[in-house]
Amino acid sequence: MSTTHPVATHVRPHAAPGASTLAVTGRVLRQLRHDPRTIALLLVVPSLLLALMDALWTEQPQVFNRVGLVMLAIFPFVVMFLVTSIAMLRERTSGTLERLLTTPLPRPALLLGYGAGFGLAAALQAAGTTAVGFGLLGLQTAGPLGWVVLIAMVDAVLGVALGLLCSAFARSEFQAVQFMPVVVLPQVFLCGLLVPRDQMAGWLQAISDVLPLTYAVDALQEVGSHPAATGRMWADLAVVAGAAVLALGLAPAPLRRRTSCALGRPGRAAAAAPGAVPATPTPGTASWPRPGRRSPSAGTTARRSGSSPRPRGSTRRWCTTTSAARKSCSWPPSRHRAIPTSCCPPCSRAARRSSVRTCSGWCSGSGTGRAGPPGSR
Amino acid sequence: MDAAVTVNHLVVDRGRHRVLHDLSFQIPPGQVTGLLGPSGSGKSTLMRALVGVQVVRSGEVTVLGRPAGSAALRSRVGYVTQSPSVYADLTVRENARFFAALYGVGAAAADRAVADVGLADAAGQLVRDLSGGQMGRVSLACALLGRPEVLVLDEPTVGLDPVLRVELWEQFHALADRGTTLLVSSHVMDEAGRCDRLLLLREGRLLSDSTPAELRARTGTDDLEEAFLRVVREQQAEVAA
């Protein structure tokens, strides 16, 4: 029985990338639709909080005007961050993420679909909060309301993008919720709401300069004080949008499939014929295979350090540990040539520590989990 | 005949624990292969390795001539996890249509798949309101949508009533007759007789790779459960010797 299988020649149906993004967006919105309470909370809570602030500063309407406007940037950012990171985490814990990764859905399409779905929800929220703030609570800006809604929307998309990125680092809901104070609150403190930015210490200003929420708040303040859109407002908006795109761009990396180097690298593994796979340590013999036994010349003369560790003739059979990792290995170079890296205890330990790719030889054919950090592709 | 799945010296560790010990076997195409063994024997881990979502220590897994998990296989290999991985806050139909969109097949195909697993009446219900067995079938329907050439099913019949179980097995064989390769895991030995081929797994080691008839002949019993026990004892005797 041969081990190869003819590659199917018929064309299989494939969703276009745009179509699968739309499918994800539709799914996210449908999930929201089945959860009316969440929709109600999304739409009502920011307006209620705004009304609470209005009541707080009844005597000082100019303070409410300043703080309320900034809140229009902060609410959608915070809410969308939380909602998205929890939604993505649920996807991970329910096993649907793993399932999605076995479908033809590209990871960027998944994230874009999420971004679009929750972005749309955020747009509704921003429109609602703005309507309440300006219609009922007497908020005032010099510039048109349309800009306020636009800024709030872009800001919400930033929240979605950061939420997606952070959820990749959370293993449980508890952790995901903790990311909110870590990622969101410093941005709120330093955005110029509590203390005007020009009154902050220099180093705090420097931090504030690299936090994207600062620019969303600044853009809103521009609208608040200028009747027409200013260049500064557009620049601010571009920074916020850029930060969202950057976060969305980084988010797919941690979403990787849990695969080892060999299984995840089709070219390599396919190149090695099954016959070329050296015998693994058989289950009965728990000891490491003796170095040098299979390659009589290997043990006799140690090559000078730094020379190509790949032996002549049988390329890709023996350990081709990178010289960097090999220097930290207590075994002489000659021994490396005679064994697979996974069987060299010092090397495999070093590989785990430094996550250096140590092995390109044997693992190309048979795969060693030690060749890279878990999940490396 | 080319094997649909070839596993060569597969070793998988989870933490410090070795889950799979140097497994090597092949799965012939167009058949229902049963993967049987007690819980904790490594069935799920092996299946995860076949679909390429498991980090392996060493060894080689080839599916349809390609390394497991490679991008080209994603539309050719279907995988149904043990716990139903579908969206609980969507209806059955919405779940199926979502996965149909990902595989690029139409809504009609989604509705057909839902009907195929006997859930046409429940299509408009939210998945979270379904029973465990029904959820599992939603999960199965979503996997069938991609018309996979290899279908890996992790305990698909757990919690199903006997009638439905028989229906599902008939469906598996219908799929196999159309050329699909199925790997079905189970810890219920009475399902073993329904498979074209049996892999017996225990404590991460492959005890037997044969047809049910061969296994019966080798162990001299018609009862597959008894046959499994005899194989286990045989192996223990070998280890002791």
Side-chain angles (χ1 to χ4, degrees):
Chain A
M1 202 183 265
S2 112
T3 51
T4 54
H5 195 275
V7 175
T9 46
H10 65 281
V11 180
R12 296 190 61 83
H14 256 291
S20 45
T21 306
L22 269 186
V24 174
T25 304
R27 192 208 83 211
V28 167
L29 292 177
R30 255 174 233 119
Q31 283 178 300
L32 273 181
R33 202 188 64 200
H34 287 299
D35 192 354
R37 194 178 299 178
T38 296
I39 298 180
L41 287 170
L42 272 179
L43 293 182
V44 174
V45 168
S47 301
L48 284 180
L49 287 175
L50 209 57
L52 183 67
M53 289 189 150
D54 182 41
L56 200 60
W57 281 298
T58 343
E59 304 300 316
Q60 298 155 285
Q62 72 287 359
V63 176
F64 172 66
N65 209 39
R66 184 176 70 84
V67 176
L69 189 62
V70 173
M71 279 299 154
L72 290 182
I74 292 178
F75 284 143
F77 177 70
V78 174
V79 171
M80 284 302 141
F81 178 89
L82 268 181
V83 169
T84 324
S85 54
I86 296 287
M88 194 43 135
L89 192 79
R90 256 190 354 178
E91 184 106 61
R92 190 188 295 275
T93 48
S94 69
T96 46
L97 180 64
E98 190 164 287
R99 174 173 216 154
L100 288 179
L101 296 182
T102 63
T103 71
L105 173 72
R107 284 174 292 171
L110 173 65
L111 292 164
L112 277 182
Y114 256 89
F118 283 115
L120 201 64
L124 284 180
Q125 186 193 45
T129 318
T130 311
V132 170
F134 287 83
L136 299 177
L137 303 176
L139 271 182
Q140 281 171 350
T141 53
L145 281 188
W147 297 132
V148 176
V149 175
L150 177 72
I151 294 165
M153 265 175 58
V154 175
D155 195 34
V157 173
L158 174 71
V160 169
L162 284 180
L164 286 175
L165 182 60
C166 289
S167 71
F169 299 101
R171 289 284 163 272
S172 69
E173 280 85 350
F174 293 146
Q175 293 178 13
V177 172
Q178 296 297 322
F179 276 121
M180 206 277 277
V182 171
V183 176
V184 172
L185 285 189
Q187 303 206 48
V188 174
F189 292 164
L190 297 178
C191 72
L193 170 70
L194 303 181
V195 177
R197 274 169 33 84
D198 49 18
Q199 290 170 28
M200 290 180 196
W203 64 277
L204 286 176
Q205 263 186 51
I207 298 177
S208 172
D209 282 344
V210 296
L211 297 177
L213 188 65
T214 307
Y215 295 88
V217 169
D218 194 60
L220 276 179
Q221 285 168 341
E222 284 291 295
V223 179
S225 52
H226 297 83
T230 60
R232 181 160 167 188
M233 185 202 94
W234 286 117
D236 283 338
L237 209 52
V239 171
V240 177
V245 170
L246 184 69
L248 273 181
L250 291 175
L255 267 188
R256 58 201 158 202
R257 297 169 172 86
R258 283 188 56 198
T259 335
S260 87
C261 67
L263 290 178
R265 294 167 50 140
R268 278 287 181 79
V277 177
T280 16
T282 45
T285 58
S287 60
W288 305 105
R290 289 248 180 81
R293 183 192 277 173
R294 289 200 217 110
S295 166
S297 66
T300 51
T301 50
R303 290 190 185 177
R304 69 190 163 80
S305 161
S307 70
S308 164
R310 190 173 288 173
R312 253 174 281 137
S314 66
T315 55
R316 309 210 154 210
R317 269 193 81 123
W318 313 120
C319 173
T320 52
T321 310
T322 57
S323 52
R326 213 162 44 137
K327 270 177 203 156
S328 65
C329 181
S330 51
W331 286 21
S334 58
R335 297 181 77 178
H336 286 283
R337 278 183 279 127
I339 55 152
T341 306
S342 61
C343 298
C344 164
C347 263
S348 59
R349 266 201 304 277
R352 256 172 295 162
R353 259 204 315 274
S354 62
S355 65
V356 174
R357 273 200 65 82
T358 54
C359 169
S360 63
W362 208 47
C363 105
S364 66
S366 63
T368 66
R370 296 287 179 249
S376 66
R377 280 172 61 84
Chain B
M1 188 174 55
D2 293 331
V5 175
T6 305
V7 173
N8 249 329
H9 299 295
L10 178 67
V11 178
V12 172
D13 289 343
R14 281 207 157 174
R16 288 186 178 178
H17 184 62
R18 177 146 297 183
V19 184
L20 296 178
H21 303 259
D22 195 41
L23 293 188
S24 296
F25 61 89
Q26 294 189 326
I27 296 177
Q31 290 192 4
V32 181
T33 301
L35 178 60
L36 286 109
S39 68
S41 57
K43 298 190 296 290
S44 296
T45 306
L46 175 58
M47 292 186 141
R48 287 166 51 82
L50 295 195
V51 294
V53 292
Q54 174 67 51
V55 178
V56 304
R57 172 83 165 77
S58 66
E60 186 183 56
V61 181
T62 312
V63 180
L64 300 172
R66 288 163 186 271
S70 45
L73 287 177
R74 263 172 237 147
S75 57
R76 302 174 69 193
V77 178
Y79 172 42
V80 180
T81 51
Q82 205 166 351
S83 54
S85 46
V86 284
Y87 298 97
D89 47 359
L90 289 181
T91 66
V92 174
R93 190 183 293 119
E94 284 169 341
N95 264 296
R97 289 190 175 176
F98 170 60
F99 284 102
L102 297 189
Y103 286 115
V105 299
D111 295 345
R112 205 161 43 236
V114 170
D116 278 350
V117 294
L119 284 177
D121 293 338
Q125 266 180 279
L126 287 181
V127 168
R128 65 165 168 247
D129 297 335
L130 301 179
S131 73
Q134 285 175 315
M135 283 188 199
R137 278 185 283 155
V138 181
S139 203
L140 178 64
C142 295
L144 293 177
L145 281 168
R147 302 247 183 94
E149 291 162 58
V150 173
L151 191 52
V152 178
L153 305 171
D154 202 350
E155 310 231 349
T157 56
V158 165
L160 294 189
D161 70 80
V163 179
L164 208 56
R165 194 185 287 188
V166 170
E167 278 175 18
L168 267 188
W169 274 98
E170 280 166 3
Q171 210 179 340
F172 297 161
H173 282 287
L175 284 168
D177 290 343
R178 279 181 261 151
T180 309
T181 306
L182 288 96
L183 180 68
V184 183
S185 80
S186 174
H187 64 264
V188 198
M189 289 309 290
D190 66 353
E191 294 194 327
R194 302 180 183 278
C195 302
D196 298 319
R197 211 171 169 80
L198 284 179
L199 296 168
L200 295 186
L201 203 61
R202 188 168 181 271
E203 291 174 356
R205 291 191 171 81
L206 199 59
L207 294 188
S208 154
D209 175 8
S210 60
T211 65
E214 283 167 5
L215 186 66
R216 287 189 184 107
R218 192 182 120 199
T219 53
T221 170
D222 274 348
D223 182 6
L224 284 170
E225 179 135 21
E226 177 61 26
F228 183 67
L229 287 173
R230 285 188 191 178
V231 172
V232 170
R233 278 189 217 114
E234 245 172 58
Q235 198 221 13
Q236 279 169 345
E238 268 172 39
V239 171

